[in-house]
RNA sequence: GCCAGAGUAGCUCAGGGGUAGAGCAGGGGACUCAUAAGCCCUUGGUCGGGGGUUCAAAUCCCUCCUCUGGCACCA
């Protein structure tokens, strides 16, 4: 069996509800994994939640409930959203899972035994109110810590450290010899620059007196591990590392879909160094697909601006598919995108309703009116060749994860078909008995093109894909190979036309 | 500050030494199968400013300005 296309997303921190940015990342990963399934590749999508840590502990305390209870409640919100958005994940990584905990502890113990983890004292300024150490970043303009930190004391604490600095040279060599490890390329350049300046080791523990909600260090039960050796490890623990060798060999290495805010240093430096320390070979290092932010009306989403968009609202107002389409079509992979209601509605009306939806509708109506929906197998060479080229270009784009480009290419076929309707004017052919064969060819060509379009949109618009195939009365179980011309048999009878994407008339302001 | 990227039509962006491009928005037209959709035509830009190289610069070089990102644990 060939290697599985193993794709993961960042696991989301469960101290608050998911927003449109979380949704974007999961949809992107979902589209890519659906594409690989369509191609017939063995595929596996892992997503999940990061449930440990201080902010969860604090948020739970604030509500007067246990961290377990709090996390269960918040996690449910993520699961509910992913189901609504049709994120077709195969594995669910929740960091409180015993499987994960066992894996983390085995890794820590092993690194400890090999001397990659050591204990050292840290002395610094500590905010009693916020229960955290402060760095120079937290200092105000005047160089002092602001009142929001409450009482600040100087404190000494013993913690465990990972010998990150030992892996700096290897990391530089690895990045230099593996262009394409990070997409887009400029992110790899940034990572390389950051790695060059890397100095010092990485604190990986917190005393339980400060943070109890985490995974206990196997060699020091007075501490829990802090974020890195917990959250990052999910990518391998849930892939069977140290628990199911066959599964792990099949899946690993992964393509990590992550946001631009966590490539440096978390994934690009810490995670790669951690894997190296665990003994992973260069060819078993993951690759990264780094996406940008979803801006709202040109601004970064933030609580203080009060412009956080709830994906549920969008899904309920405009439909899940229009949200998936808009996010995938309007965002150049790797770049930020601007999310505005107006633009979403515009894209929906222009691309989904007017172009594709109307093409389906007019085709079925003409076939019904002129031929009672019955087709004669045939081919308009210009269009079938165009369709074949479209599939080729589409594949080339998606093989490079360029979802927006694949959609643009796909819609090129829909546009070509709409023009073809005008060129061939079936309503004129229908009035001339001598043109009967020509009319049959036009109708079959349009129906067949729609069948191909339905296949191509399937990764992004699974429901609309099924909807088109249903109306064509074509089989719903499809693969990319089915885009070959002539799938609809001679004498095939099309289904009833229904409006697939009703126009959104009210300008959403 | 250092590093990277960007600044091209109202908007989103492509192009990258030889007469300025696409989609959407705006304007006009012919048609009628269709979700007043689709199709055709069209308005619109001294390609951030200034210098330079060149027969020729949006494109190469220098410089300045602006924005974004990274360096600095929030998808």
């Amino acid at each position: 069996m060939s290697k599985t296309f193993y794709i993961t997303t960042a696991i989301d921190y469960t101290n608050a509800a998911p927003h449109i940015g979380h949704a974007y990342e999961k949809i992107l990963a979902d589209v890519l994994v659906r594409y690989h399934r369509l191609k017939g590749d063995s595929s596996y999508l892992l997503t999940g939640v990061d449930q440990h840590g201080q902010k969860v502990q604090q948020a739970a305390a604030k509500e007067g409930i246990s961290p377990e209870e709090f996390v269960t409640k918040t996690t449910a919100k993520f699961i509910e959203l992913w189901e609504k958005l049709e994120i077709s994940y195969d594995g669910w990584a929740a960091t409180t899972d015993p499987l994960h905990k066992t894996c983390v502890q085995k890794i820590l113990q092993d690194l400890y035994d090999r001397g990659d983890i050591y204990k050292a004292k840290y002395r610094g300024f500590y905010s009693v109110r916020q229960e955290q150490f402060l760095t120079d970043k937290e200092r105000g303009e005047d160089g002092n810590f602001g009142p929001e930190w409450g009482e600040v004391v100087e404190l000494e604490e013993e913690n465990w450290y990972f010998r990150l600095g030992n892996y700096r040279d290897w990391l530089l060599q690895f990045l230099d010899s593996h262009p394409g490890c990070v997409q887009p390329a400029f992110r790899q350049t940034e990572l390389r620059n950051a790695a060059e300046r890397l100095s010092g080791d990485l604190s990986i523990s917190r005393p339980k007196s400060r943070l109890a909600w985490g995974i206990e260090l196997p060699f020091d039960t007075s501490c829990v591990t802090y974020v890195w050796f917990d959250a990052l490890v999910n990518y391998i623990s849930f892939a069977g590392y140290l628990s199911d060798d066959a599964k792990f060999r099949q899946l690993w290495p992964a393509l990590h879909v992550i946001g631009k805010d966590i490539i440096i240093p978390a994934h690009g430096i810490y995670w790669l160094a951690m894997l190296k320390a665990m003994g992973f070979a260069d060819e078993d290092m993951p690759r990264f697909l780094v996406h940008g932010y979803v801006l709202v009306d040109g601004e970064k989403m933030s609580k203080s601006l009060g412009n956080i968009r709830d994906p549920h609202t969008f899904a309920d107002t405009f439909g899940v598919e229009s949200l998936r389409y808009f996010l995938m079509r309007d965002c150049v992979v790797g770049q930020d995108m601007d999310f505005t209601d107006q633009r979403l509605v515009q894209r929906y009306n222009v691309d989904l309703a007017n172009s594709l939806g109307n093409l389906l509708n007019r085709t079925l109506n003409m076939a019904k009116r002129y031929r009672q929906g019955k087709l004669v197998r045939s081919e308009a060479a210009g269009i079938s060749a165009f369709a074949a080229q479209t599939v080729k270009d589409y594949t080339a784009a998606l093989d490079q994860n360029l979802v927006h480009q694949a959609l643009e290419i796909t819609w090129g076929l829909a546009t070509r078909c709409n023009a073809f309707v005008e060129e061939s004017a079936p309503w004129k052919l229908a009035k001339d008995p001598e043109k009967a064969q020509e009319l049959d060819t036009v109708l079959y060509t349009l129906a067949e093109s729609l069948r191909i379009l339905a296949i191509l949109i399937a990764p992004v618009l699974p429901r609309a894909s099924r909807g088109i195939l249903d109306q064509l009365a074509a089989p719903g179980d499809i693969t990319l190979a089915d885009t070959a011309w002539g799938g609809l048999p001679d004498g095939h009878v099309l289904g009833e036309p229904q409006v697939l994407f009703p126009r959104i008339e009210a300008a959403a302001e």
Side-chain angles (χ1 to χ4, degrees):
Chain A
M1 193 179 183
S2 62
K3 272 276 186 191
T4 294
F5 174 72
Y6 176 44
I7 182 168
T8 74
T9 71
I11 53 173
D12 299 308
Y13 199 59
T14 49
N15 69 330
H19 59 61
I20 202 86
H22 294 101
Y24 169 77
E25 178 179 287
K26 273 60 189 176
I27 292 171
L28 175 60
D30 180 58
V31 166
L32 293 174
V33 81
R34 283 178 186 267
Y35 165 66
H36 281 272
R37 286 196 203 112
L38 191 66
K39 276 212 308 189
D41 298 342
S42 160
S43 309
Y44 194 98
L45 170 61
L46 179 72
T47 188
V49 281
D50 177 9
Q51 300 171 308
H52 288 129
Q54 188 132 34
K55 284 179 183 167
V56 164
Q57 185 175 294
Q58 284 168 346
K62 209 171 173 179
E63 290 190 24
I65 57 178
S66 70
E68 288 90 340
E69 215 178 320
F70 179 84
V71 145
T72 304
K73 203 177 66 176
T74 322
T75 299
K77 289 184 189 170
F78 283 88
I79 292 176
E80 187 198 349
L81 180 61
W82 302 155
E83 279 175 7
K84 189 171 195 167
L85 298 182
E86 300 208 48
I87 308 302
S88 58
Y89 53 91
D90 302 285
W92 180 250
T95 54
T96 51
D97 192 310
L99 170 82
H100 175 71
K101 184 179 163 184
T102 305
C103 183
V104 165
Q105 289 183 326
K106 279 183 184 169
I107 290 168
L108 287 169
Q109 183 65 52
D110 181 50
L111 293 179
Y112 174 77
D113 291 343
R114 286 154 58 171
D116 257 326
I117 290 175
Y118 65 94
K119 199 176 199 174
K121 283 199 173 91
Y122 177 80
R123 188 173 182 81
F125 294 98
Y126 181 81
S127 160
V128 177
R129 182 194 291 175
Q130 294 292 327
E131 298 182 21
Q132 64 172 309
F133 276 94
L134 304 175
T135 66
D136 289 344
K137 268 195 308 181
E138 271 85 41
R139 290 180 192 275
E141 302 272 307
D142 57 357
N144 294 315
F145 295 112
E148 70 272 24
W149 302 107
E151 187 192 358
V152 175
V153 297
E154 216 174 346
L155 195 73
E156 190 173 81
E157 188 173 283
E158 278 203 312
N159 271 314
W160 293 90
Y161 288 81
F162 166 61
R163 295 193 191 279
L164 180 66
N166 286 2
Y167 297 96
R168 177 178 171 276
D169 292 345
W170 165 78
L171 184 58
L172 289 173
Q173 164 271 316
F174 173 77
L175 291 172
D176 288 342
S177 55
H178 292 78
C181 169
V182 183
Q183 180 186 356
F186 73 90
R187 294 282 172 209
Q188 183 153 352
T189 308
E190 286 184 354
L191 174 57
R192 179 53 177 81
N193 292 338
E196 200 148 46
R197 283 188 285 263
L198 173 63
S199 65
D201 291 335
L202 182 64
S203 165
I204 60 156
S205 74
R206 291 291 179 270
K208 278 189 189 168
S209 55
R210 273 217 291 135
L211 174 63
W213 183 236
I215 298 174
E216 204 171 75
L217 296 185
F219 45 82
D220 180 355
T221 54
S222 74
C223 293
V224 299
T225 190
Y226 167 76
V227 61
W228 317 116
F229 273 92
D230 184 348
L232 292 169
V233 168
N234 92 84
Y235 302 128
I236 54 175
S237 62
F238 289 96
Y241 184 63
L242 303 182
S243 66
D244 183 344
D245 284 350
K247 180 181 180 185
F248 189 67
R249 273 198 306 274
Q250 178 62 34
L251 293 182
W252 194 257
L255 172 65
H256 293 316
V257 178
I258 56 172
K260 65 184 183 182
D261 51 333
I262 53 171
I263 180 67
I264 301 168
H267 286 75
I269 293 178
Y270 302 163
W271 179 228
L272 291 180
M274 286 161 63
L275 287 167
K276 178 65 179 171
M278 288 176 225
F280 281 70
D282 283 11
E283 60 268 26
D284 286 331
M285 290 297 158
R287 288 180 304 121
F288 301 96
L289 176 59
V290 183
H291 67 254
Y293 283 132
V294 177
L295 306 176
V296 171
D297 297 324
E299 306 213 64
K300 190 169 164 177
M301 267 182 286
S302 73
K303 281 179 194 156
S304 49
L305 280 171
N307 63 349
I308 292 185
R309 308 310 295 262
D310 177 7
H312 284 289
T313 311
F314 277 106
D316 294 341
T317 310
F318 303 115
V320 169
E321 300 259 290
S322 59
L323 180 62
R324 286 176 64 106
Y325 180 76
F326 178 60
L327 289 173
M328 292 302 105
R329 176 62 184 84
D330 226 43
C331 182
V332 177
V333 175
Q335 312 232 304
D336 290 350
M337 77 171 290
D338 193 23
F339 193 113
T340 67
D341 291 9
Q342 200 186 354
R343 205 164 160 79
L344 182 149
V345 169
Q346 194 176 73
R347 277 242 101 100
Y348 174 92
N349 281 339
V350 169
D351 294 349
L352 298 182
N354 297 353
S355 181
L356 181 61
N358 188 50
L359 175 66
L360 173 69
N361 204 236
R362 68 199 301 209
T363 297
L364 290 183
N365 268 295
M366 288 189 287
K368 185 182 179 185
R369 178 180 298 218
Y370 306 136
R371 291 292 185 268
Q372 293 79 50
K374 192 171 175 182
L375 298 177
V376 177
R377 191 167 174 177
S378 50
E379 173 170 7
I383 302 300
S384 58
F386 194 97
Q389 187 61 44
T390 299
V391 173
K392 211 173 147 187
D393 295 343
Y394 166 94
T395 307
L398 279 179
D399 283 340
Q400 298 173 78
N401 307 323
L402 303 176
V403 178
H404 66 288
Q405 208 177 77
L407 288 173
E408 193 181 345
I409 288 161
T410 302
W411 256 260
L413 177 58
T415 299
R416 183 69 195 85
C417 286
N418 272 319
F420 177 62
V421 174
E422 307 299 328
E423 289 161 20
S424 47
W427 48 93
K428 284 183 190 162
L429 300 177
K431 289 176 186 156
D432 185 348
E434 287 183 16
K435 300 276 178 69
Q437 198 184 337
E438 204 179 320
L439 178 59
D440 281 330
T441 301
V442 170
L443 293 176
Y444 184 89
T445 296
L446 291 173
E448 184 63 9
S449 298
L450 277 160
R451 191 187 62 82
I452 293 168
L453 281 166
I455 296 171
L456 298 183
I457 66 170
V460 177
L461 302 169
R463 279 187 217 170
S465 173
R466 286 191 294 272
I468 292 173
L469 294 172
D470 280 353
Q471 291 194 38
L472 294 173
D477 190 18
I478 44 160
T479 70
L480 194 59
D482 294 322
T483 54
W485 193 264
L488 292 171
D490 192 48
H492 180 81
V493 178
L494 298 171
E496 284 298 305
Q498 284 171 339
V499 172
L500 185 62
F501 301 110
R503 280 178 63 83
I504 301 173
E505 295 299 348
E509 285 301 328

